[in-house]
Amino acid sequence: NAGVTQTPKFQVLKTGQSMTLQCAQDMNHEYMSWYRQDPGMGLRLIHYSVGAGITDQGEVPNGYNVSRSTTEDFPLRLLSAAPSQTSVYFCASSYRQATYEQYFGPGTRLTVT
Amino acid sequence: AQRVTQPEKLLSVFKGAPVELKCNYSYSGSPELFWYVQYSRQRLQLLLRHISRESIKGFTADLNKGETSFHLKKPFAQEEDSAMYYCAFTSGSARQLTFGSGTQLTVLP
């Protein structure tokens, strides 16, 4: 099993550009989530999903969209990139009954200039 | 709002010395607390959870409801313990994990 995969690993965007960060898992997990990791602030939840077709906002959802059309995939879309979105983004998944044990992807390092 | 505080951003200890990483939470109900660890060039992973009361890689953590703390301890630190440690929290029916800001532990030879 590949676990949780994320693409790309690195990305540089100009302010105003849009892009999609890809996340996929092959563990048949119902729960998937996106976090951003910033120095001194830990991991903050952006959006999460408890199953296909169901998404909800986390702590810092502004500027990001998600959708969950399949169990396996949970892409994160940046609509109009801003320098404040420069961060490391992590996707994670877990069983719905055990969201405390999340399996993390390797992360995407995004820089917005 | 529930919150997790890790007061130390950086912590350095010598190999063989005891280590304690502090975590405090604010929540009036019954929380569930966890420690996650991220070793260099590895993915963030669950280290231990308070409810299991187990020792993982020599680390233990006790939930102290009176002091609202969940400090991570190890009596004899090893160089391979060097990593970023995050305290995390969830409660009741909430589905989200709330993470602290993390403590970077360095174990010196």
Side-chain angles (χ1 to χ4, degrees):
Chain A
N1 289 350
V4 179
T5 58
Q6 291 183 239
T7 56
K9 290 186 177 179
F10 303 94
Q11 183 71 49
V12 179
L13 291 177
K14 294 187 186 302
T15 296
Q17 288 184 316
S18 62
M19 80 159 295
T20 299
L21 306 185
Q22 300 292 345
C23 174
Q25 52 92 9
D26 60 0
M27 296 174 282
N28 204 29
H29 286 163
E30 304 96 339
Y31 184 92
M32 296 186 74
S33 54
W34 276 101
Y35 296 88
R36 57 178 291 173
Q37 182 187 47
D38 301 293
M41 304 193 73
L43 283 88
R44 292 181 293 169
L45 183 65
I46 304 171
H47 285 286
Y48 66 98
S49 169
V50 298
I54 306 169
T55 63
D56 207 346
Q57 297 181 348
E59 180 185 355
V60 288
N62 292 341
Y64 308 95
N65 272 0
V66 292
S67 60
R68 185 97 179 268
S69 56
T70 67
T71 299
E72 295 78 18
D73 301 298
F74 191 44
L76 178 72
R77 280 182 287 277
L78 280 70
L79 308 173
S80 177
S84 60
Q85 294 178 304
T86 293
S87 188
V88 180
Y89 291 85
F90 289 98
C91 180
S93 73
S94 71
Y95 291 111
R96 184 170 179 170
Q97 305 92 324
T99 56
Y100 60 85
E101 186 169 10
Q102 296 190 24
Y103 293 81
F104 281 80
T108 294
R109 185 173 293 275
L110 175 68
T111 301
V112 183
T113 61
Chain B
Q2 57 197 40
R3 178 172 288 192
V4 178
T5 303
Q6 294 180 251
E8 304 141 328
K9 289 185 179 180
L10 303 170
L11 182 63
S12 294
V13 300
F14 286 101
K15 177 182 174 181
V19 61
E20 180 179 73
L21 292 89
K22 291 183 169 55
C23 172
N24 289 90
Y25 66 92
S26 58
Y27 181 67
S28 57
S30 295
E32 291 188 52
L33 285 131
F34 313 90
W35 279 97
Y36 273 75
V37 61
Q38 188 174 25
Y39 300 103
S40 179
R41 297 188 184 87
Q42 293 188 29
R43 303 183 184 200
L44 189 63
Q45 59 187 290
L46 177 65
L47 179 63
L48 56 78
R49 51 191 295 221
H50 89 270
I51 202 168
S52 59
R53 301 185 65 81
E54 58 193 345
S55 173
I56 303 293
K57 299 184 179 183
F59 284 98
T60 58
D62 291 319
L63 178 61
N64 186 324
K65 291 188 178 181
E67 296 182 357
T68 61
S69 68
F70 187 57
H71 303 328
L72 184 67
K73 301 177 184 179
K74 185 170 184 177
F76 307 103
Q78 302 300 314
E79 290 182 67
E80 56 265 30
D81 296 327
S82 296
M84 177 70 87
Y85 291 81
Y86 289 98
C87 184
F89 170 109
T90 188
S91 62
S93 60
R95 299 185 178 97
Q96 301 101 313
L97 273 177
T98 299
F99 286 87
S101 55
T103 298
Q104 179 67 50
L105 173 67
T106 301
V107 180
L108 303 167

